[in-house]
Amino acid sequence: MKKEIIVITGGPGTGKTTIIDQLIEQGHTCYPEISRQVTMEAKKQGIEQLFLEKPLLFSELLLEGRKKQYYSATEETSSTIFLDRGIPDILAYMHYIGDSYPSFFDLACKEHTYSKVFVLPPWEEIYESDEARYENYDQAKLIFEHLKETYQKYGYQLIEVPKGTVNERIQFIFSELEKA
């Protein structure tokens, strides 16, 4: 049985988590985004916005979490596993803020590869900021460009998910998966 590890990515506020939540509700195996969890843990330790205050530490914690998700996904009994963001997302965000990172980040992107990557474009009508999403819409568009560029650097052919209802977007994803 061939295992498909599928990434759903995109800038902030594009509907990734909504899609993942709906996939979970439908009984699919999914791994949630972990950046909010890392941010909330840091807040408990008195660091208000870890990504802004200590971006490399934040990124290292994300890398560890996403590597764990990847290895867990390879052990799943399901043939298709969906991830809310992948390892290249970390580098894209580091590029976005103009920060450098150690070579083991690049190595992690090369060692942990995904079957397919679906990218959600910026969508102003559904975009919302909150306590963990501090970017404005223009910044979200820039992050989207960095995400595309970073994934393409690692050889991924990105599949852009059109705007639509959650179910329409999920139908699109599955129709693309069936083409493989």
Side-chain angles (χ1 to χ4, degrees):
M1 173 178 76
K2 186 172 186 258
K3 184 140 338 237
E4 298 281 335
I5 302 176
I6 311 298
V7 170
I8 298 177
T9 190
T14 55
K16 295 175 303 299
T17 302
T18 303
I19 289 172
I20 290 288
D21 290 346
Q22 183 66 30
L23 288 168
I24 290 169
E25 212 171 279
Q26 293 175 2
H28 298 283
T29 304
C30 302
Y31 287 80
E33 163 63 283
I34 58 170
S35 65
R36 285 179 184 266
Q37 177 186 334
V38 169
T39 300
M40 295 308 165
E41 284 300 315
K43 281 185 179 186
K44 289 178 188 172
Q45 297 170 20
I47 303 171
E48 192 54 37
Q49 190 49 264
L50 184 60
F51 177 67
L52 295 176
E53 295 176 40
K54 297 182 180 181
L56 186 57
L57 174 60
F58 178 80
S59 297
E60 287 172 350
L61 293 170
L62 279 185
L63 180 61
E64 283 310 305
R66 292 208 176 119
K67 283 167 57 175
K68 284 179 189 171
Q69 284 184 330
Y70 181 88
Y71 291 123
S72 293
T74 64
E75 300 296 318
E76 288 285 350
T77 56
S78 302
S79 60
T80 304
I81 299 93
F82 295 94
L83 304 177
D84 188 339
R85 297 199 181 276
I87 293 171
D89 285 64
I90 301 166
L91 279 70
Y93 272 81
M94 295 295 276
H95 296 159
Y96 164 71
I97 64 168
D99 219 344
S100 59
Y101 46 84
S103 60
F104 63 81
F105 281 88
D106 179 60
L107 189 59
C109 288
K110 293 174 180 172
E111 291 177 341
H112 305 81
T113 58
Y114 306 103
S115 308
K116 290 209 181 307
V117 178
F118 289 91
V119 62
L120 281 61
W123 189 355
E124 194 165 14
E125 291 76 18
I126 67 168
Y127 183 83
E128 292 179 7
S129 290
D130 62 27
E131 74 282 347
R133 182 184 301 136
Y134 58 87
E135 305 93 354
N136 65 36
Y137 183 69
D138 287 334
Q139 291 169 318
K141 291 191 299 188
L142 280 174
I143 291 167
F144 173 72
E145 294 303 322
H146 282 285
L147 286 164
K148 287 193 320 185
E149 185 180 297
T150 302
Y151 274 96
Q152 289 167 345
K153 173 188 172 193
Y154 291 101
Y156 292 100
Q157 298 294 319
L158 301 176
I159 304 165
E160 190 167 312
V161 179
K163 297 172 184 174
T165 67
V166 177
N167 287 332
E168 288 168 346
R169 294 176 115 189
I170 289 172
Q171 283 179 321
F172 173 84
I173 290 168
F174 280 104
S175 70
E176 289 295 315
L177 290 175
E178 289 171 8
K179 291 179 183 178

